[in-house]
Amino acid sequence: MVGIRWRNSGEVAGPAEEPLPDLEEWPEQEMLASEFSTVGFYISGHPLSKYAARLAELKAVDLAAVEGRRNGEEIAVAGIVIAMRSMRSRKGERWGILTLQDTTGVLEVLAFPESFGRLETVFKSNAPLILKGRVNVEEAGTRLAVMEARKLEDMGQRPLNVMRVRVELAALDFGKLDELKELFASKPGSCAVAFDLVSSEGAVATLRADQCVQADQELVRDVCRLCGENAVELEARG
């Protein structure tokens, strides 16, 4: 029963405040799904975030970067299927157009009859997925023709041991070192960092950094921006 609080004057002041019940928090996946269904985007995080290290190891391409890939190139991408349209070919076969979302944007993915029939239940799982496909550059834009798809949760999470960064000594300067130091400080974690210092003659010396990092996609991308496209190699245990 709602209590009534009375003032000294005898006037009704309205219902008394009651303490809110102490309820368990929603599971992360349920909370994120509810956020997306309510406002159309994620607020407290993204379902892919906890797989960042694994995606970096798998060399998954950000969806925002697929546009620059060459036609016919086979790549891996990750994301959540946020929309799916079932289509019919002229032969009456079912195929699908998926809208895939990751932390960088969205991409249309084509699932032709063979792959659609084989992977439809995976597409409908509402789980974070890793997909392998072929880049399909068209006049209307770049899409991906999917060949394989798996739930990320089924792939396991092998802990990363070392993030190796290849650095050309001829291109090294103190400004770049300061930027790298700031990047590593912004991503503390359990993955060690090793620099492979390459001289102009091709000799390599390895130097261990004092910092350990969370080697997620964002960090790998930023380090490659400073040191070169293929500067980072991730080594995992097990």
Side-chain angles (χ1 to χ4, degrees):
M1 179 177 179
V2 176
I4 303 295
R5 186 174 73 252
W6 296 88
R7 294 177 179 169
N8 292 335
S9 62
E11 295 178 358
V12 177
E17 294 184 359
E18 295 185 357
L20 296 174
D22 186 14
L23 301 176
E24 291 185 7
E25 291 187 7
W26 286 5
E28 181 185 25
Q29 185 171 344
E30 183 179 348
M31 179 177 65
L32 292 173
S34 296
E35 289 175 357
F36 190 85
S37 65
T38 302
V39 298
F41 54 89
Y42 299 105
I43 299 172
S44 56
H46 193 282
L48 289 179
S49 297
K50 66 180 180 180
Y51 299 103
R54 185 66 167 132
L55 293 177
E57 181 187 354
L58 294 168
K59 301 187 185 304
V61 176
D62 290 340
L63 297 187
V66 174
E67 185 74 29
R69 296 284 173 154
R70 69 178 185 274
N71 189 45
E73 182 180 359
E74 292 185 6
I75 61 172
V77 298
I80 304 287
V81 176
I82 60 174
M84 183 169 70
R85 287 179 286 159
S86 180
M87 315 289 283
R88 289 279 182 182
S89 70
R90 292 180 179 179
K91 296 181 179 180
E93 297 175 307
R94 294 176 67 246
W95 63 286
I97 300 177
L98 320 176
T99 302
L100 195 68
Q101 182 203 59
D102 71 357
T103 58
T104 68
V106 296
L107 179 73
E108 277 198 347
V109 175
L110 306 175
F112 294 119
E114 188 278 329
S115 60
F116 188 73
R118 179 165 46 87
L119 301 170
E120 184 176 6
T121 56
V122 178
F123 299 148
K124 291 182 176 180
S125 66
N126 294 320
L129 305 179
I130 181 80
L131 299 90
K132 181 182 178 181
R134 185 174 290 109
V135 176
N136 194 3
V137 179
E138 306 169 344
E139 289 185 7
T142 300
R143 300 193 286 188
L144 191 73
V146 65
M147 297 182 291
E148 298 291 342
R150 292 181 63 185
K151 296 179 186 178
L152 273 167
E153 64 187 20
D154 294 341
M155 300 194 68
Q157 283 275 67
R158 289 195 294 162
L160 293 173
N161 186 23
V162 179
M163 182 173 80
R164 307 190 73 88
V165 182
R166 181 181 175 90
V167 177
E168 301 288 341
L169 288 175
L172 188 61
D173 58 54
F174 289 108
K176 187 176 294 185
L177 286 175
D178 288 341
E179 286 191 69
L180 286 171
K181 185 176 181 179
E182 289 179 8
L183 281 175
F184 295 154
S186 70
K187 293 281 187 177
S190 58
C191 181
V193 178
F195 291 101
D196 289 333
L197 307 176
V198 185
S199 71
S200 56
E201 292 80 21
V204 179
T206 299
L207 178 66
R208 282 269 185 155
D210 294 333
Q211 295 164 298
C212 289
V213 299
Q214 178 187 339
D216 58 19
Q217 280 183 296
E218 182 181 13
L219 181 61
V220 171
R221 183 169 58 246
D222 288 340
V223 173
C224 287
R225 173 177 54 82
L226 290 172
C227 300
E229 183 179 355
N230 299 309
V232 176
E233 180 181 348
L234 299 171
E235 298 179 355
R237 295 191 295 266

